[in-house]
Amino acid sequence: MSRARRLGAWVSGLDRADIPPDLIEKLRNHFLDTVGAAIVGDGREPVRIASRVFSAPGETPLLIDGAPRHFVDAARVNAVAAHAAEIDDTEGCDHTGAVVVPVLLALLEEVNCTGDDLLAAMVAGYEVGRRVQQALGGYDEHNGAGWHSTATCGVFAAAVAAARLMRLDAAQCNAALAIAASSSAGSWAFAADGSMTKQFHVAGAAGNGLQAALLARAGATGPEAIFDDIWGGYFATHGTPRSNPDALAAGLGTEWHAEHSAIKMYAACRSAHPAIDGVVDLLNSGGPGIDDVRRVVIEVSPFLRPMICPENPGSVEAARMSLPISLALLFMGSQLDPDAYAAFASPRVARITGRIRVVETERLDTRQSVRVTVRSASQEWVVERRFARGSEGAPFTTEEIRDKFWRLVVPRIGERQARRAIAYVDALGADPVPTFPALRETEPAQ
């Protein structure tokens, strides 16, 4: 049996009862977190552009201000909104929520389903997206080759989530995966100048994955052996020396890769979070004040440096990718919420980043490992981290995640509407699920 057929059969047959309860509850949190990220994304430049371009009229409401859209364009706009402020989830296929949740919300206008169906579809998307990334050799290997896994792997997450919610059979799920492979594209070139392609990659993954499932439902076919050893196959074109295609289907139903997904508390590139966590701990424990800092040295791996240390960031989007700017804002007392980065070009930020030096070292050879040395006139502090809070080994609690949602969302839509969103997610279960409530109709922000 081909690998795509094995995956398709598993997706088609996946039931809520097959999924560990703690994984279901985890992804409830990711669902709400993604909705919150989209609300926070409203009004940002990539979202304004997406809203103008993906503008086909329809009945599907947006999570941002704006007229309803055709459901495919609604998925695209909501995806960009969810990723625009860099506060959405991570460490699945990377930013999986921004790809999967908008697709599921869009399809609620098109299919009748229960909350259990929606949660099973979400798990399927997260699971397959992460498995594709792992089969390619993992995040470091795939992204190190220049690919942006949110785009290249996210398209499969979207296709699978859509296929499961539409209850496609095994052959149709197989076809959706195979068709989606033709849209697996997107590079890290945006890191050089902070351009907006990063924000639009989620629209491509969501829209193309949804389209793949719709084509499969209508009878379109794709190359069944797409994940096998054929000329033009997925691993023949996207693979690396560390690729392991068998990882796609190994342990299906017993090993849950979706558990690896993480929530972010800072509106910065995830790979900057270990250093941010360390400096937050340092400041909270009585470390140096801004006037005491004379020099900051950041040691990172050669792989990590171009990702989190863009030269001369010229936009808010680029600033969110910059560890030096994030640390400068921290020393200024910021929580690193999305709007904090509007100050990235201020003279004060420039003065602080002028004291920050980034050094590459082969000693740090993993994606997130960093070492930060902070020096004052009379003291030195050293912070070293290998992973960030919110990761699988140090997850945030439901209370912490909802506190984040509340803090970021209430100023934008008010308390009553925020409670409606939370109640919707809490109610997902065996009953038919309604369309997501409009959150911007009547109540002004408090």
Side-chain angles (χ1 to χ4, degrees), residues 20 25-26 39 53 69 86 95 102 161 165 167 169 179 182 202 259 268 280 308 359 362 371 394 411 425 436:
E25 295 313 305
K26 173 181 173 60
I39 292 169
V53 173
R69 298 290 197 276
E86 199 66 40
H95 306 293
L165 197 64
R167 292 194 171 277
D169 64 27
I179 295 167
S182 292
V202 288
E259 292 175 342
V280 167
I308 60 172
V359 178
E362 296 287 350
R371 179 184 172 94
V425 175
F436 195 78

Side-chain angles (χ1 to χ4, degrees), residues 105-144:
L105 290 176
L107 281 173
L108 292 180
E109 295 288 333
E110 303 297 314
V111 301
N112 295 318
C113 65
T114 66
D116 284 346
D117 289 328
L118 187 148
L119 290 167
M122 187 174 177
V123 170
Y126 272 68
E127 184 69 19
V128 171
R130 176 70 178 179
R131 282 173 172 271
V132 172
Q133 186 197 82
Q134 292 300 98
L136 286 165
Y139 181 96
D140 289 12
E141 192 77 9
H142 184 58
N143 285 267

Side-chain angles (χ1 to χ4, degrees), residues 306-390:
M307 188 179 295
I308 60 172
C309 301
E311 300 293 335
N312 303 315
S315 67
V316 170
E317 289 76 26
R320 292 197 186 102
M321 304 299 291
S322 169
L323 176 56
I325 288 177
S326 293
L327 295 188
L329 292 170
L330 276 182
F331 285 120
M332 290 165 55
S334 170
Q335 286 186 294
L336 300 187
D337 284 345
D339 294 338
Y341 287 84
F344 80 94
S346 72
R348 191 178 182 198
V349 169
R351 285 195 298 272
I352 300 171
T353 56
R355 306 176 208 171
I356 298 174
R357 181 185 174 205
V358 180
V359 178
E360 290 186 9
T361 174
E362 296 287 350
R363 184 179 65 83
L364 300 170
D365 60 356
T366 65
R367 172 190 174 192
Q368 297 190 43
S369 292
V370 296
R371 179 184 172 94
V372 181
T373 303
V374 181
R375 299 189 180 106
S376 69
S378 60
Q379 194 170 350
E380 178 176 288
W381 297 263
V382 177
V383 173
E384 191 161 355
R385 291 288 191 277
R386 293 183 62 83
F387 62 88
R389 294 191 186 104

